Amino acid sequence: AITGTYAACSSDGGDTWAVAEHGLTLSQFQDTDSLYWDDSRSRWLLLLEGDALAVSKDGQRWEEGTSLPRALPVSRQKIIGDGQGNLLVAASSLEAGALFGSCDGGQRWFEIVVQEAHSIPAATLFALAYGRGRFSVVWSDSGLSGLYSMAL
């Protein structure tokens, strides 16, 4: 029997499960919004705590990916892509919120600096969307709300 909380994967529609290799535990990531299937490169991307990113082709073996430009003590994080290698990460902690982008499938990351009126507040609830060639971020916290839309 397997004890503890680990990332697992199934290659037969959920009939059987295997624990992912390299000690990847569920406590290292926040929720399923931290996981993204990158169709452009046929692989999984998983945001871990701080600024770390894990990459897997099959969900069983995970490798360290390129880190985000800076680490946040993250309380919420989400990743979304357009299926062609453009990725957007939104992260929020009790101290700050941030947006990061990549135009090459996560090989290189850059921080997206938005106007102060459009910045994601700390400890906020947010959603990410992609459509019509644009990424959008919607947030709401303590009476503040906003919408920011961009093309990478």
Side-chain angles (χ1 to χ4, degrees):
I2 298 170
T3 59
T5 308
Y6 294 91
C9 59
S10 174
S11 60
D12 57 11
D15 289 337
T16 60
W17 291 86
V19 174
E21 295 177 12
H22 301 297
L24 183 65
T25 65
L26 292 180
S27 64
Q28 290 178 286
F29 62 95
Q30 303 297 317
D31 55 42
T32 56
D33 289 331
S34 301
L35 182 66
Y36 173 72
W37 174 253
D38 180 10
D39 213 22
S40 68
R41 290 182 168 69
S42 299
R43 65 184 182 159
W44 290 101
L45 299 173
L46 177 62
L47 297 169
L48 303 174
E49 294 174 320
D51 64 348
L53 184 74
V55 180
S56 176
K57 289 279 190 183
D58 61 8
Q60 289 184 335
R61 289 169 294 281
W62 291 86
E63 300 174 0
E64 185 177 328
T66 306
S67 297
L68 298 174
R70 69 180 169 105
L72 290 173
V74 174
S75 58
R76 291 180 189 89
Q77 59 187 3
K78 297 179 188 293
I79 184 170
I80 192 171
D82 64 359
Q84 297 182 33
N86 296 307
L87 303 168
L88 179 69
V89 169
S92 178
S93 70
L94 294 176
E95 292 82 29
L99 293 174
F100 303 103
S102 174
C103 296
D104 58 10
Q107 297 298 312
R108 291 181 305 263
W109 291 94
F110 53 90
E111 186 162 2
I112 298 168
V113 179
V114 295
Q115 298 172 356
E116 187 64 34
H118 294 278
S119 63
I120 296 177
T124 191
L125 298 173
F126 55 85
L128 300 179
Y130 178 80
R132 298 181 185 233
R134 298 187 67 80
F135 288 96
S136 297
V137 183
V138 181
W139 67 89
S140 177
D141 185 43
S142 303
L144 301 172
S145 62
L147 167 68
Y148 185 71
S149 182
M150 75 204 94
L152 291 182

